[in-house]
Amino acid sequence: MSASLVAVLASGELVPPSGAAVPAACGWQNGYGGYSALRQPGACWRPYNDSSPFNQQVVPATPSTPDSTSLTSRLLAAGPVESIVVGDPARDGGVPIYWSQPSDPLYTLHCTKPWGRCAVEGLRVRAPAAARPAGGFATPGNDHDAHLTIVDQQSGWEYDLWNVQSRSGAAINFGWGGRTRIDGNGLGSAGVAAGYGGLAGPIRINELQGGQIGHALTMAVPCTNSYVYPADGAGLSCSGAGLPASRSIPMGAHFVLGMSPPEIAALNLPSWKKTILTALATYGAYVSDTTGVSSSWGFERESSEGYTSFGQADPWVQFARSLGLRPYDFNGNGYQEYWFDLASGMPWARLRVVGTCAATGTCFPAPAAGRPLNLPSKLTQGRPGGRIAARKCWRRRAAWAREYRRTHDAVGLGSRRVLKRWARRCSAMAA
């Protein structure tokens, strides 16, 4: 047990989260149903329900994993974090988000990869006729991720498509994909290797401009040989990327910035960088995908295609210009690129990896009615307080299982492991 956790238990109080709580009005219901290309969600909006792993604030006393130092060293050994590059469609590897309307054309989804049963094969969804994947359609000569996410505001389903190749007639053809509920936990999809929804984690331009990110981020690392909750699968293996196994970082690993709000505020950095750091200190970032390159890691962002495919000006470029960033045509293809530098002055050495209890919200008994909970000093010694905490723990475990079954066709191996770990934790409280 970490020294900080011992101090928390001894004091009888939980340390407050590192960031301010997100108001209830910022949930997925805020403006949902009326979003479109011309009316995108503002900074005060986040997808999925409050129990989603991506919406869990991380208590500073949350213990790090035993291999936290090693995993952080592996991440930083990959070199400087990638900048957010905007202005060049060829370098847009983000997630374009499209809000479907009842008047949009109806398309049949078709998966082309021979990988077994595709969860969304043959389903029909309305999508804007102008919708394009990030970086353009994937072709044999330019076979890339080509992400595309469609939110059906009538049914409440979010469709996440990867390697989108064409939109022919009344069909959208893509390599693989899945779907998740916008009011669910954001898991069980297949748009990224980890199985998260496409809306889980990317930095949106309205959040960066508004100075508020009310959810966890997602990030890509060079390679993974294993996975932990909330991921339900690994990405490109280290051997597949031509890298040693010692470079592996588990899919689903939860990196958190170990800094307080005053420490972040005191940094000599522009406000947009502090917005990202605050989100990392409050919610953290989950590994969601792999880059396959030893020197490449970075955070996911919203694609400009969700705006420019409708003929709108790129808001990312407009924001870059307002910051005075200088453009360069690095690719020599006629597009001026703007680089949001995430390396200079950023305290990446303060990252750590926390356990899966942070994602499930089970590191500590839940506070009642938003108030700090006084923990019994003999929590794990069979006293009445311990038994009460254990009963709460079992109830939360049952609620998590119900939510998982509601949004998934079946309980998978990953969820069974989570339930087993949770059972051990609950049992220990009343031991």
Side-chain angles (χ1 to χ4, degrees):
M1 183 177 293
S2 68
S4 58
L5 179 56
V6 171
V8 168
L9 294 176
S11 69
E13 293 186 356
L14 289 180
V15 176
S18 56
V22 173
C26 294
W28 68 269
Q29 306 97 324
N30 181 30
Y32 179 78
Y35 293 130
S36 67
L38 299 177
R39 186 175 183 268
Q40 300 277 357
C44 182
W45 182 85
R46 67 182 186 189
Y48 316 131
N49 59 34
D50 290 343
S51 63
S52 166
F54 309 104
N55 296 333
Q56 298 297 314
Q57 294 196 24
V58 179
V59 174
T62 299
S64 300
T65 60
D67 57 352
S68 173
T69 301
S70 174
L71 292 178
T72 301
S73 297
R74 295 180 198 181
L75 179 72
L76 300 182
V81 61
E82 291 184 351
S83 298
I84 296 175
V85 183
V86 303
D88 184 351
R91 299 192 65 143
D92 187 347
V95 179
I97 302 167
Y98 296 98
W99 304 90
S100 75
Q101 305 293 324
S103 58
D104 286 335
L106 189 62
Y107 295 98
T108 300
L109 303 180
H110 175 53
C111 304
T112 63
K113 296 293 184 182
W115 295 343
R117 177 182 175 271
C118 179
V120 294
E121 172 65 32
L123 297 184
R124 305 181 77 191
V125 61
R126 294 192 180 277
R132 295 193 304 252
F137 291 99
T139 64
N142 183 27
D143 193 15
H144 62 110
D145 283 347
H147 287 291
L148 190 154
T149 287
I150 303 164
V151 181
D152 186 335
Q153 298 181 88
Q154 301 298 306
S155 68
W157 284 103
E158 170 196 324
Y159 295 84
D160 304 303
L161 314 181
W162 169 81
N163 196 228
V164 178
Q165 300 144 14
S166 64
R167 188 178 58 244
S168 57
I172 299 178
N173 304 300
F174 54 98
W176 203 251
R179 67 176 185 171
T180 190
R181 295 287 305 177
I182 195 70
D183 58 350
N185 58 18
L187 304 179
S189 192
V192 296
Y196 311 152
L199 269 65
I203 300 169
R204 295 185 293 111
I205 184 59
N206 285 344
E207 294 172 328
L208 211 57
Q209 288 180 307
Q212 175 183 347
I213 300 176
H215 56 80
L217 307 185
T218 44
M219 58 190 291
V221 299
C223 61
T224 64
N225 287 345
S226 60
Y227 64 93
V228 296
Y229 182 83
D232 63 7
L236 180 65
S237 68
C238 292
S239 61
L243 301 173
S246 60
R247 298 298 303 277
S248 174
I249 297 175
M251 191 70 74
H254 192 180
F255 285 87
V256 176
L257 184 69
M259 295 185 72
S260 67
E263 288 179 300
I264 295 173
L267 295 173
N268 184 23
L269 293 172
S271 59
W272 67 267
K273 286 189 177 183
K274 293 181 182 180
T275 297
I276 293 175
L277 293 178
T278 299
L280 289 170
T282 307
Y283 299 94
Y286 293 98
V287 175
S288 63
D289 217 332
T290 48
T291 66
V293 180
S294 63
S295 60
S296 177
W297 71 278
F299 300 99
E300 303 288 355
R301 77 165 178 99
E302 169 196 40
S303 168
S304 299
E305 288 286 359
Y307 303 87
T308 58
S309 62
F310 296 96
Q312 298 181 48
D314 187 341
W316 284 92
V317 169
Q318 292 178 317
F319 186 48
R321 289 172 177 166
S322 73
L323 296 173
L325 302 185
R326 294 178 58 190
Y328 300 92
D329 183 5
F330 286 92
N331 285 353
N333 59 1
Y335 287 100
Q336 294 293 308
E337 302 174 8
Y338 296 82
W339 291 51
F340 289 84
D341 176 21
L342 288 175
S344 300
M346 299 290 267
W348 298 127
R350 299 286 294 273
L351 287 172
R352 66 188 183 102
V353 180
V354 296
T356 57
C357 66
T360 58
T362 58
C363 292
F364 309 99
R371 293 179 287 105
L373 178 70
N374 292 323
L375 297 178
S377 59
K378 303 295 184 180
L379 180 63
T380 61
Q381 298 185 18
R383 299 294 180 88
R387 290 193 294 271
I388 293 172
R391 286 197 294 271
K392 291 181 179 178
C393 181
W394 284 110
R395 286 198 295 269
R396 294 195 64 171
R397 176 183 183 272
W400 183 90
R402 287 195 299 271
E403 173 65 19
Y404 189 94
R405 293 188 181 96
R406 187 180 73 83
T407 56
H408 294 69
D409 293 334
V411 177
L413 178 61
S415 62
R416 289 198 296 271
R417 288 173 177 167
V418 172
L419 289 172
K420 287 181 180 179
R421 287 196 297 270
W422 208 328
R424 289 194 295 268
R425 192 174 298 120
C426 296
S427 297
M429 287 182 176

